[in-house]
Amino acid sequence: MPPLSADGSRRRNPSHPDAAVRRSVWLLAIARVCDMAGAEAIFTVRSYDLYDSTDSALWLSALLFAFFVGLTLGEPLGGVLGDRFDRRHVLLWSVAVQALVLSSLIVVVNPIAVVAITFVAALAAAPFNSTLPAAVPSLAGESYLGWANGVVNAGMNRGLVLGPPIGAALLDWQGAGFGIAMGIGFILAGGVAIALIPGSFAAADSDETS
């Protein structure tokens, strides 16, 4: 039971975040799980489909190259956007553009186009990857930053674990187009989780409001 304060009321245990902080951090972690699982599911489906259609490891390596070059180029700019603009809006716009770009993979099968779309999708995802961790201190506060970072990072790892088997199962069940569509659904669900988070995403020393 929490100790009594000087006026006889119960003090909240500072080692445990309150309900609002827990809700915000868990929704942020859910957004991370959904976004990562969706992206990994799509990448699994498209990687298999590309290799199956070309029978070439070179095209598969080109897909990987395009994806990671897109993230490498985009994440510094994404971080700047997260510092300059409302972080919630940056996250939501990143989700929307990423989903729009990835939707073209449902119908596009040309290897060159698939690689190019993957590069653009990685650029679109970069602001999400850069901005989401920056929102953690604003939502959790310094007192619970270690716990909050652990929860959000665990969400990312769960997405990495769940995405490939989900993508493979959907591919075997209904084909590549269905697997990509469901992956986009996961990404959009992450956007919904972001939209539901209460409180401000602004940095503590910033004048911006959400």
Side-chain angles (χ1 to χ4, degrees), residues 1-196:
M1 180 177 292
L4 290 172
S5 61
D7 61 3
S9 61
R10 294 288 178 186
R11 295 199 303 264
R12 181 175 60 83
N13 188 340
S15 66
H16 298 290
D18 60 28
V21 171
R22 290 199 304 271
R23 182 187 178 201
S24 297
V25 172
W26 279 109
L27 282 171
L28 203 64
I30 289 169
R32 199 67 173 121
V33 172
C34 291
D35 183 80
M36 186 62 68
E40 290 296 309
I42 292 170
F43 196 81
T44 299
V45 169
R46 187 43 72 200
S47 296
Y48 172 83
D49 200 50
L50 182 65
Y51 182 76
D52 186 56
S53 63
T54 63
D55 197 28
S56 171
L58 288 176
W59 280 113
L60 187 58
S61 65
L63 190 72
L64 287 163
F65 182 81
F67 177 73
F68 285 110
V69 168
L71 288 179
T72 300
L73 295 177
E75 287 189 350
L77 176 60
V80 171
L81 293 174
D83 289 338
R84 184 172 179 82
F85 301 105
D86 186 301
R87 287 179 179 142
R88 189 195 305 270
H89 294 164
V90 171
L91 290 168
L92 292 175
W93 274 108
S94 178
V95 166
V97 175
Q98 187 183 173
L100 181 64
V101 173
L102 289 171
S103 65
S104 62
L105 289 177
I106 296 174
V107 295
V108 172
V109 294
N110 179 274
I112 296 175
V114 167
V115 170
I117 291 168
T118 300
F119 173 76
V120 176
L123 287 176
F128 188 97
N129 295 341
S130 300
T131 302
L132 188 141
V136 175
S138 305
L139 297 171
E142 292 295 328
S143 299
Y144 311 117
L145 190 55
W147 167 79
N149 279 328
V151 171
V152 174
N153 287 338
M156 180 183 70
N157 292 332
R158 289 187 179 99
L160 286 169
V161 170
L162 294 173
I166 288 173
L170 293 172
L171 175 65
D172 285 343
W173 181 36
Q174 292 289 338
F178 181 78
I180 293 170
M182 292 301 294
I184 293 170
F186 276 105
I187 292 171
L188 292 174
V192 172
I194 293 293
L196 291 175

